[in-house]
Amino acid sequence: LSNQATKDYVFDIDRFTSFEGNTGPYVLYTIARINSILKKYSDTCENTESGEILPSSAEPEKTLMLALSRYSDVMLTCFEELAPHKICAYIYELSNALNHFYHETKILSEENEEQKASWIALLRLAMTRNSPKSPCPTGLIYVNISVMEPWRLLKPTKKPRL
């Protein structure tokens, strides 16, 4: 789905199952990572009400905010052009912004509770299930990819029989 429907492509199982780059597993891993932060926050904080999203204080936060703000325009363009591959491109861009924000921002260890609540509200905006305003899960639903809740990798206890 990440390729334009009118173009040819070569199916490469190793590329499409990689956890790096523009792949489904990369996007699903990002969703799992952000959902883990949201769960830890709700498990450890007394006040789990959504905070107000404050103006960005750093480049990764601003990049994420800008990516989130493009959601409606991207969906409209995809509909008008009948181009589902643009949804995939947007979700990949948003996943990159989420990962960059996650790596550069110590969300759960932030001492300023108002700032922490703002960051959590920003992540919730990206991740809220069944919300037409939520880019990650909703965008994936539009291209027929479901997100399991919680998404976990299970290690088999026995080798599979062949």
Side-chain angles (χ1 to χ4, degrees):
L1 285 173
S2 64
N3 297 310
Q4 188 173 350
T6 58
K7 305 255 180 181
D8 290 336
Y9 68 94
V10 176
F11 181 78
D12 179 353
I13 190 73
D14 293 329
R15 186 177 142 241
F16 288 113
T17 58
S18 173
F19 279 90
E20 296 176 2
N22 190 359
T23 65
Y26 173 77
V27 171
L28 293 173
Y29 178 74
T30 301
I31 291 170
R33 173 181 275 176
I34 301 304
N35 280 334
S36 174
I37 291 170
L38 294 173
K39 181 170 179 1
K40 285 178 185 174
Y41 179 78
S42 67
D43 289 348
T44 59
C45 293
E46 293 175 16
N47 181 9
T48 59
E49 294 295 317
S50 288
E52 179 181 327
I53 297 176
L54 303 173
S56 65
S57 58
E59 182 272 327
E61 185 179 9
K62 181 179 181 180
T63 301
L64 177 56
M65 288 176 166
L66 290 172
L68 288 168
S69 72
R70 293 186 47 245
Y71 177 63
S72 295
D73 292 336
V74 169
M75 290 301 132
L76 183 60
T77 300
C78 293
F79 176 75
E80 290 173 346
E81 296 177 11
L82 301 175
H85 68 282
K86 291 186 178 185
I87 296 173
C88 296
Y90 171 72
I91 292 171
Y92 176 65
E93 174 194 335
L94 182 58
S95 295
N96 281 336
L98 283 162
N99 275 310
H100 185 58
F101 177 69
Y102 169 83
H103 282 294
E104 299 297 321
T105 310
K106 304 300 178 214
I107 300 163
L108 296 176
S109 62
E110 174 62 42
E111 292 182 11
N112 180 333
E113 291 300 322
E114 185 180 23
Q115 182 64 68
K116 184 191 300 187
S118 171
W119 290 338
I120 293 296
L122 189 60
L123 294 179
R124 283 184 177 152
L125 179 61
M127 302 305 299
T128 303
R129 293 178 130 295
N130 304 320
S131 168
K133 294 181 181 179
S134 177
C136 257
T138 305
L140 288 172
I141 289 168
Y142 290 148
V143 292
N144 202 26
I145 297 174
S146 59
V147 178
M148 296 183 298
E149 185 70 33
W151 192 75
R152 298 178 187 189
L153 292 175
L154 301 175
K155 293 182 181 178
T157 54
K158 296 181 181 179
K159 288 185 179 181
R161 289 180 164 178
L162 300 178

